[in-house]
Structure formats: C-alpha cells, structure tokens
Amino acid sequence: MSRRVVRQSKFRHVFGQAAKADQAYEDIRVSKVTWDSSFCAVNPKFLAIIVEAGGGGAFIVLPLAKTGRVDKNYPLVTGHTAPVLDIDWCPHNDNVIASASDDTTIMVWQIPDYTPVRNITEPVITLEGHSKRVGILSWHPTARNVLLSAGGDNVIIIWNVGTGEVLLSLDDTHPDLIHSVCWNHNGSLLATTCKDKTLRVIDPRKGQVVANNFEEPVALQEMDTSNGVLLPFYDPDSSIVYLCGKGDSSIRYFEITDEPPFVHYLNTFSSKEPQRGMGFMPKRGLDVSKCEIARFYKLHERKCEPIVMTVPRKSDLFQDDLYPDTPGPEPALEADEWLSGQDAEPVLISLKEGYVPPKHRELRVTKRNVLDVRPPSGPRRSQSASDASLSEHTLETLLEEIKALRERVQAQEERITALENMLCELVDGTD
C-alpha cells in the first residue's frame, strides 16, 4: 500500500481572515469606471482609493489608523479633468503618490502627514507626454524619482519626476494596447503583456525586446470559467503569488518553487461580497508580531476591508524564516545613474524590531532652465560684478537667517520638552 508524501512547506497552512467591522473603512464611493487597475494603493502610512467624483477625477487618501465611517466631506485629491485610472505610491517616499488619468496626464502629489482641511488640488508636478489615456503607473524599485507610465497610445514613457523630464520613450515595442507592466527586482528589465497576447521582456535603456518567444509554459494552472480580470500580487520574500479576481469573491494563493511542478496550490480565501479592486501592503507595513505575511485591502461598492494572511505559529518570538530582510524605503541609485547603465540591488532592511516609517520627506522638483539649451533670441545685458556680489551677499544673509531660525526652533522644542516633563512630575506628585 503506497503512502502519500506531503510536501514540506512553512506556508502550507497560511490562512486568510477578514478584519473586524470596526477596522474597515466605511462610506467610500469606490470608482465605477471601467478599467482593469486595482483602484487601490497602500503603504505603511496611507491608504489611497480611486473614488467617484463629479466634473473630473479624484482619489481619497486616508491615514491607516482612520478606520470606521469616513465623513462625506473628507478632503479628496483632485486635479485631473477626467477619471483617475491608476494610482501608485512611491516606494522611496511614503508621502508621494502618482496618479494617471483619462485626461492623458500623470500627476505626482505630496500628501501631508496631517489631515488637510480642503481638497488637495495642486500636484507637485504634472507630466504630459501621452496622446491618449494613461492607465498604468509603476515606480522604479531601486532608482529615486523614476516613474513608468503606459497609455492607450501603446507607448511606455519613463520619467524623472525630480526634473519632470522624459528619460526614455518606448514607442515601437507594442502594436496594440498594453495590459500590464512590471519591473524586475532591480529595475534593469520590464515585463509587459499586450492585447496581441504576447508577453515581452524589455531592456528599457536599450529600447529592445530581449525575449518574447515563450513557446511552452513552465507550469499551467487551470483556474475557473470566470471572465473577470485577475489581479496578481507576488511576494518575493515568501515566493507566494496571490490571484484576486476582479468581480470575484475569492483570493487564491500558490507557492512558487524551483522544483517541478513549480506551482503549488496552497488555499483559497473566500467571502460573500465580490471585490471591485484590491490593495497590497508592502512587507515593511505588516505586523510581524502576529506572523502576518500579507495584507490586502479589498474594495467593496462603498467600503474597504482589510484581509490578513497569517502563518500559524505558537511562539511569540520574531520568526526569522518568515521575514528575511526586505526592500526598505532608501533608493539604491539616482535617476541619472540608472539611465547611464548602472544597476543595483534594493537596499534591504530587517523587520526584527518592527518597521518605523521615516520622517516626512519633501519631494523636490528641479526644472532645468530652458535657456541652458536654447540660444538667446537677442542681445543680452551682461551681468555686472556689483550685481553678482549683491546676490551673493543676499544669499549669505538668507542662509544665516535660516540657521538662526533653526537654532531658535530647536531651543523652543527643548524648552517645551522640559516644561512637559515638569508638568508630568507635578501631576504625579498631586496623585
């Protein structure tokens, strides 16, 4: 009598669980636009959801802790003149998000840590280069301020958000509508799918398709007869791929291994309500004390519900095998370095002590002077030595004033801290 051998895997018993009702986000009018994006983006600080808006496109940004019912007058991020189709958080700055719209533009926004009083209407920068709707956005995994966009014009544009310039434009690589785009782990290659049913691997800096003749799949997994679009989310730390069907009510997950049959079915999380979209939390935003290996944000018609994937463990200690070092918020390259041909692995961080988001960092856009590249149209007055010395003197004065103001703010902060400590001691004494 043959005995069946069970495959050994630490993820064999992963299970999904929906959050309690008080941990969901209620009364959110999720967008009804017909587009195959996830409509949701999340990072360790914020949750962003594309919503219904009259007279243009908008999305809402909520601090993760702001659960429960969302006020109908809660400020939105507005600025697009047509529906927003895709949003994506910058992996190197948790306060920066990019949005793509049917109005052919991409806008990059700085989200404050505090709740704004009114709608955010002014982006940090607007990127214009596509001739039709822009439906796909993806930030470079290792290079600072590098953003990819793909539009209905079958063109992929790679931008330097820090200067607002086009770094690369891939005009002739796709004969039809681009369905999805994904970077590899270090951002040296792209993988795209297209309406012509071809998977392409592209070297964007050479502008060449390096592979597209995939005759036989390594593994083939039959799913179901549903015609809904599958939203795949891959976790490279655990080698698990999660498949969320849009309009479906389940999340199927599989473990990918190096040995045949390569794809191993783990389980299916099912619920009653179909999902309109899905957000996927980066690894550094998970609760390692509860052995949480993935967290989804499922969009319903009028709410967003967190779903937690957990590996059951008895010990409360940090589980090194579940949480290898993972990409952190620091970029490994500058945009110019990547464009010149350099590649670098992501800068990894340990989750052993739990992830603490860095302080608010401002996105700075430096636009190059057009006069640097265009010849002057007429005679130009030469700058006198007195003008140069005056401007230099003014700059030095401003720098001294800024330094003095910083010292004053620091002194006031120290004084406030000392007063708070004295107040605590007085309160403790009266108790």
Side-chain angles (χ1 to χ4, degrees):
M1 178 177 166
S2 62
R3 180 177 296 177
R4 186 183 175 192
V5 178
V6 178
R7 187 180 68 90
Q8 292 296 318
S9 170
K10 57 195 169 194
F11 301 111
R12 213 156 50 87
H13 301 291
V14 172
F15 67 96
Q17 188 171 19
K20 296 178 181 177
D22 61 347
Q23 295 176 329
Y25 306 83
E26 304 274 355
D27 266 6
I28 298 173
R29 296 189 305 152
V30 179
S31 175
K32 296 178 182 176
V33 66
T34 54
W35 190 253
D36 295 332
S37 71
S38 60
F39 288 178
C40 179
V42 63
N43 69 18
K45 292 172 76 171
F46 297 106
L47 168 68
I49 301 169
I50 301 174
V51 295
E52 286 287 296
F59 59 97
I60 189 170
V61 177
L62 300 168
L64 282 187
K66 191 173 177 58
T67 55
R69 191 175 299 277
V70 178
D71 190 282
K72 65 179 181 179
N73 296 318
Y74 192 89
L76 303 176
V77 182
T78 61
H80 288 287
T81 57
V84 176
L85 301 180
D86 197 16
I87 49 178
D88 195 25
W89 287 104
C90 176
H92 307 129
N93 189 334
D94 287 340
N95 292 79
V96 171
I97 187 170
S99 60
S101 170
D102 214 335
D103 65 8
T104 75
T105 67
I106 302 114
M107 293 184 179
V108 181
W109 310 82
Q110 183 97 32
I111 306 299
D113 286 327
Y114 60 87
T115 302
V117 179
R118 55 181 66 87
N119 288 353
I120 300 174
T121 57
E122 292 296 325
V124 177
I125 191 168
T126 301
L127 306 173
E128 298 177 336
H130 288 280
S131 60
K132 293 184 179 179
R133 63 165 61 177
V134 186
I136 299 171
L137 291 175
S138 182
W139 291 90
H140 194 282
T142 62
R144 189 197 307 272
N145 293 341
V146 176
L147 175 66
L148 176 149
S149 63
D153 50 7
N154 310 336
V155 174
I156 291 176
I157 299 178
I158 299 175
W159 309 84
N160 182 348
V161 175
T163 61
E165 295 175 329
V166 175
L167 294 178
L168 299 164
S169 182
L170 307 177
D171 302 332
D172 305 319
T173 50
H174 298 87
D176 214 328
L177 183 67
I178 301 165
H179 284 164
S180 66
V181 182
C182 181
W183 296 95
N184 66 345
H185 70 288
N186 67 355
S188 60
L189 297 172
L190 294 171
T192 68
T193 57
C194 180
K195 195 175 180 181
D196 65 358
K197 299 182 180 180
T198 302
L199 170 66
R200 293 172 174 84
V201 178
I202 301 170
D203 185 331
R205 288 168 294 193
K206 293 180 180 177
Q208 297 177 352
V209 177
V210 296
N212 63 356
N213 294 320
F214 300 101
E215 295 177 358
E216 289 294 326
V218 174
L220 184 64
Q221 183 77 35
E222 293 289 339
M223 299 301 294
D224 54 28
T225 56
S226 172
N227 59 359
V229 175
L230 283 175
L231 302 174
F233 299 96
Y234 179 64
D235 177 15
D237 293 344
S238 60
S239 298
I240 295 178
V241 62
Y242 302 86
L243 299 177
C244 312
K246 207 168 183 183
D248 198 355
S249 58
S250 61
I251 302 173
R252 299 174 180 84
Y253 40 106
F254 304 81
E255 185 176 0
I256 312 298
T257 61
D258 295 330
E259 300 86 21
F262 304 110
V263 178
H264 306 273
Y265 171 76
L266 292 175
N267 209 336
T268 299
F269 169 82
S270 297
S271 55
K272 295 178 182 178
E273 298 287 331
Q275 51 233 15
R276 299 278 297 276
M278 194 72 74
F280 187 59
M281 174 67 79
K283 209 56 172 282
R284 56 194 172 89
L286 303 181
D287 188 347
V288 298
S289 65
K290 296 179 180 177
C291 295
E292 184 181 337
I293 64 164
R295 192 191 309 156
F296 294 92
Y297 286 78
K298 174 181 174 179
L299 299 186
H300 298 248
E301 190 172 348
R302 290 191 68 89
K303 76 171 183 178
C304 177
E305 176 186 41
I307 296 170
V308 175
M309 298 289 177
T310 308
V311 176
R313 292 282 172 94
K314 294 180 180 179
S315 173
D316 292 332
L317 299 175
F318 178 75
Q319 306 294 317
D320 299 83
D321 59 327
L322 297 183
Y323 301 105
D325 289 353
T326 195
E330 288 300 320
L333 292 170
E334 296 298 327
D336 293 340
E337 294 173 335
W338 176 78
L339 185 62
S340 68
Q342 294 185 42
D343 291 319
E345 297 299 308
V347 179
L348 303 181
I349 59 171
S350 172
L351 299 177
K352 188 166 186 177
E353 305 300 328
Y355 173 69
V356 179
K359 292 183 179 179
H360 179 87
R361 293 184 293 182
E362 189 174 346
L363 173 65
R364 297 187 183 278
V365 176
T366 56
K367 294 207 173 184
R368 295 179 183 174
N369 191 347
V370 291
L371 297 178
D372 292 342
V373 293
R374 292 182 186 172
S377 56
R380 191 176 69 174
R381 182 178 68 89
S382 61
Q383 187 182 31
S384 66
S386 61
D387 290 342
S389 61
L390 178 65
S391 61
E392 190 175 338
H393 173 72
T394 307
L395 180 62
E396 288 177 358
T397 305
L398 287 171
L399 289 173
E400 287 175 4
E401 288 181 4
I402 291 170
K403 185 178 178 181
L405 285 170
R406 281 180 176 167
E407 291 174 353
R408 187 173 178 184
V409 169
Q410 188 175 357
Q412 293 290 354
E413 286 180 350
E414 291 174 357
R415 185 165 176 264
I416 290 168
T417 304
L419 289 170
E420 286 177 344
N421 292 335
M422 289 172 62
L423 183 61
C424 290
E425 290 174 2
L426 287 171
V427 171
D428 293 341
T430 53
D431 291 344

